Each structure stands twice: as structure tokens, then as C-alpha cells.
Amino acid sequence: MRRRTFLGALGGLGLTGALAACGTGTTEQVTEPIDENTEAELELAYWDRNQSVTVEALIASFTEQHPGITVTPALTGPTDYWTRLRTQAEGGNLPDVFWMSGLHVQLYASNGMLAPVPDDVDFGVFPQAMTDLYTMDGVRYGIPKDYDTIACWVNQRLVEEAGVTLPDPETWTWEEFGETTRAIAAGLGDRARAVVTDLNIGGQQNWYNTVAQAGGYIIRDGRSGYAEPDTIRGLEFWSNLVADGVVPHPREIADNPPQTAFMSGLAAIHHTGSWETPALLADYPDPGELVVVPLPRDRERASTIHGLAYVVAANSANLSAASALQRHMTSEEAGRTDAANGTAIPAWAGTAESWHEVKPEWNLSVFTDAAENYAVPYPVSRNTAAWNQLEADLLTPAFAGDVPMAQAAEQLAQQMDELLAAER
């Protein structure tokens, strides 16, 4: 699912102080065992209705083993999840167990809101990038549940109607991608868009990938990379496609989201993530039209990787039971359940094969191949949301062609560095 939808709710650095007043600051590990006689009431919060089938199945298997523990799922829509979580944090009543994004973990962990993961959890079964994402100052605060990477979903019918044959997607380059998509746009005319991607909500599904492919970077050693020439070239990949009419103008995207356009058969290529799989499985009118292909390459191959984790509130009244639930929701059983339902790519090693098989003809292995062979980490800092807002404010006009991209990127780098300095 889209990870960047929720960022605006966290606000700027002012949130740090608000959370700090509620944190416990503990770094103790939760190690007390529980058994079938343990009694507790827990709340588990998450944001994606598409994953309810997996969440509910795992809660059922947990309570079967621990009949004295009641787990209440709390599903909040993606727009409201972080707003609600912030309110709960400020009130000292966070859910016992809840989904966490890598974008926010440092903020909550640094303010003592999260319980460290017990030392005896085996992190060797998870991708190292995901383990690192939820570690701060050597302390692990989240257990990975899934991951996602970026690729191109292709409507083969529209490509054929445009009279275009795709180059070999295993080796295609930016140049070939540009030539091909311009030809698709010309062939389809007003009937459909050649490429859709959401340039308004953040870079995970688009420019983070092309920046890395160009040899640039978003953040490194506590400094912004937006002023680097290679980074600017990765940004211009998208502003050029908008100017060529291949990708919709940001104002059009706001009125007609890429997911809606692609689901309606009004876009040939959706440049986005593996999180689209469950919705496409459930609702796409003709699944036989679709296939997944890798992203094009420039100097490098690159696909942004991110993943969610389950975390435990540091002030939970039932830490031991909450820790046990956290483990259960990220267990091998959980991975296999996630995969079988097609809800996400499970983080537990060796459990993704059945996820590939939920729709073999879609070639979903493109996403896991990217994770194994050319994934680049999602860029984060202690208060990622602050400079994410700058990205939206400064880059959107540049993607639209209203200001030169180099000018916008250099301004972003300067202001982003000021925010990063304030984190230190």
C-alpha cells in the first residue's frame, strides 16, 4: 500500500516536544513469558482494510493459543491513522500493538514511546534493510512484517492498442522507456494515459527510484542530496515525461488518482509498488490484461524498498502479552498467511513463494527479485515528515514545469539541511 499518504498528519519538529512529554524513555527488554492462563486485553491498530483478512486470521490463531487474552483490532483509514496515533501518543494511551512505518519509527522511539524488542527474537530471518530500518542507537524497536518494492504494472491490451511493443524489460533503459512511452501516448491519444504515478504524495513510487538509478541520493550522513547533479537528473526524468505528455500533470493527478485511472483501464503503465496487488486481485475487471515488469535502468538498477513493522507501546499495561502478540503477528505463520492471502510480501525469509502464486501470470517475482538484487533503502531521518513536506511544497511546481527543477532542488536541499541540523 502507499506509505507516503500519511505523512502530513505528523507535522514538523514541534511534534517531538509533544511526544517527549508522554514517553517513558525505557530501554528495558520485555522478557516475561506468558502461557495459556495469562489474562489481558490488548488493542491492535492498523490502517489497510485490504489486510484485514490476514490480521483477523492471526488474531484468531493467537487467541486460540491464549484464550485469556482478548485482542481488539482497530482499523483506521489511511488518511487518519497517524492523526489518531499522534492524539493517542499525546494522551499516553497508544494501542498496545500497532503498525509502524520506517518514516516515523525514529520519532516515536526517540521520545520513549516504543518498547524495545526482546533480545531473544531472531532477526536473521528478516531482510537486513528492514531490521536496520527499525533500529535506533543499537536498539531494535520493531519486528518487520512485510516489505514492498517498486516496478511497472502494465496493461498489455492498451500497449497493443497503441501499436507498441515493449523492449526487453529486463534490460530496458531510461532512453528506451522514454521512447516507448511517448509512442504509447501518441498511439492512445485521448483514450488513456501512457504512464501514471503519483507525483503529489512523495517519491517512494517514482523519483526516489530514478534518483538512485541516476547515481544520486536523497539523504546521506545527515545531509540532503537534492542539490547533487545526479539527483537533479533523476528528478528531471519525471518533469520531462510530464512536459512530453506521457505522465499527467500534477493537477490532473490530484483530480484523477493513478490507482483509479489504472483500475479503470485508462492507463497503460502504473509506475508504483507491490502494495497494489491485493486491490488489483480483488477489483481489476480483467486480470489477464496485466503483467509486472522491472523498472528501467540508467547508471544503476534501483528499486526503493520499504516495509512495515509491528511495534509495542512502551506504556502498555500488558507488556508481556503485547510482546507475545507482536511476535505472533511477525512469525513464520504470519508470513505464510500474508503470502497466501496476497496481502503483502512477507518479511520472513522463505515465505514469499505462495505470494508469487496468487497470480502467477502477473510475474510478481519482479518485486522480490528487486528486493534481493538491486533494492535501495528508503530515505529516513529522525523526523522524516518535516522534510517530506518540503518535498511536496517545492518539487510539485517543478514537476509541473512552473519552476526549473534545478532551482527547486537546490532550494529544497538548503531548507532540508536546516531541518536535519535541528535533529542533531
Side-chain angles (χ1 to χ4, degrees):
M1 59 153 316
R2 294 187 302 171
R3 314 299 186 187
R4 296 290 295 277
T5 305
F6 327 115
L7 299 181
L10 276 175
L13 284 168
L15 176 60
T16 304
L19 290 182
C22 310
T24 66
T26 180
T27 57
E28 297 178 0
Q29 305 292 323
V30 180
T31 57
E32 294 182 12
I34 67 169
D35 56 32
E36 66 275 7
N37 298 315
T38 300
E39 295 185 357
E41 293 186 2
L42 302 174
E43 181 183 24
L44 183 151
Y46 68 108
W47 66 65
D48 185 4
R49 186 175 301 277
N50 289 322
Q51 299 202 33
S52 292
V53 60
T54 295
V55 170
E56 291 169 2
L58 292 171
I59 288 176
S61 60
F62 179 78
T63 54
E64 183 178 354
Q65 299 170 26
H66 305 286
I69 300 178
T70 300
V71 181
T72 302
L75 171 62
T76 304
T79 303
D80 300 326
Y81 182 84
W82 294 106
T83 303
R84 181 174 186 265
L85 201 66
R86 172 177 176 165
T87 300
Q88 291 174 313
E90 292 174 346
N93 62 339
L94 281 168
D96 299 278
V97 180
F98 54 101
W99 279 10
M100 178 52 64
S101 160
L103 285 69
H104 306 124
V105 64
Q106 292 188 30
L107 181 61
Y108 280 83
S110 65
N111 287 292
M113 311 302 289
L114 307 181
V117 177
D119 291 330
D120 60 347
V121 171
D122 179 13
F123 278 86
V125 298
F126 304 114
Q128 186 65 45
M130 294 299 95
T131 297
D132 292 345
L133 190 60
Y134 292 97
T135 301
M136 190 182 75
D137 298 332
V139 180
R140 290 169 173 156
Y141 289 98
I143 304 180
K145 70 168 290 291
D146 63 31
Y147 68 81
D148 46 58
T149 55
I150 312 301
C152 291
W153 292 86
V154 178
N155 181 320
Q156 299 174 98
R157 173 182 57 82
L158 286 179
V159 173
E160 291 174 4
E161 287 182 9
V164 175
T165 300
L166 293 184
D168 182 354
E170 291 298 327
T171 60
W172 66 343
T173 64
W174 280 12
E175 183 178 0
E176 289 174 317
F177 183 87
E179 292 173 352
T180 301
T181 54
R182 284 192 293 271
I184 293 173
L188 292 177
D190 294 335
R191 287 178 292 158
R193 282 292 184 176
V195 179
V196 290
T197 190
D198 203 330
L199 293 169
N200 292 327
I201 64 163
Q204 181 182 6
Q205 61 181 288
N206 35 64
W207 77 79
Y208 285 177
N209 304 277
T210 51
V211 163
Q213 290 159 9
Y217 63 95
I218 306 300
I219 183 173
R220 182 181 296 165
D221 299 327
R223 301 279 299 182
S224 173
Y226 271 113
E228 296 295 317
D230 289 338
T231 300
I232 294 171
R233 200 163 63 84
L235 296 170
E236 289 175 338
F237 175 92
W238 294 104
S239 57
N240 290 339
L241 290 176
V242 173
D244 290 344
V246 172
V247 172
H249 190 284
R251 285 192 294 272
E252 181 181 336
I253 293 171
D255 295 333
N256 188 22
Q259 292 82 358
T260 302
F262 193 74
M263 189 73 73
S264 303
L266 298 176
I269 296 175
H270 193 185
H271 193 290
T272 189
S274 51
W275 59 80
E276 299 290 351
T277 305
L280 291 168
L281 280 169
D283 299 322
Y284 195 80
D286 185 0
E289 294 180 349
L290 303 183
V291 69
V292 179
V293 302
L295 300 180
R297 70 179 72 202
D298 187 53
R299 294 179 181 171
E300 310 284 346
R301 295 193 79 180
S303 178
T304 304
I305 188 169
H306 180 259
L308 302 181
Y310 275 102
V311 297
V312 171
N315 64 351
S316 170
N318 300 285
L319 276 174
S320 295
S323 177
L325 178 60
Q326 177 193 35
R327 293 183 192 226
H328 185 79
M329 302 301 290
T330 55
S331 63
E332 183 175 6
E333 174 193 340
R336 297 197 182 282
T337 303
D338 238 345
N341 289 333
T343 46
I345 306 175
W348 191 289
T351 60
E353 286 306 313
S354 56
W355 184 80
H356 298 153
E357 296 306 313
V358 298
K359 203 69 178 172
E361 60 270 36
W362 284 1
N363 196 27
L364 294 172
S365 62
V366 167
F367 292 112
T368 52
D369 289 345
E372 294 170 5
N373 298 311
Y374 52 92
V376 293
Y378 196 104
V380 297
S381 71
R382 186 156 294 194
N383 197 23
T384 313
W387 50 267
N388 282 154
Q389 188 59 53
L390 284 178
E391 290 175 320
D393 293 343
L394 297 175
L395 293 182
T396 300
F399 288 130
D402 297 334
V403 298
M405 182 59 76
Q407 175 184 320
E410 288 166 5
Q411 185 180 0
L412 173 55
Q414 179 182 353
Q415 295 185 33
M416 182 175 167
D417 277 337
E418 292 173 0
L419 290 174
L420 292 171
E423 294 183 14
R424 295 194 283 269

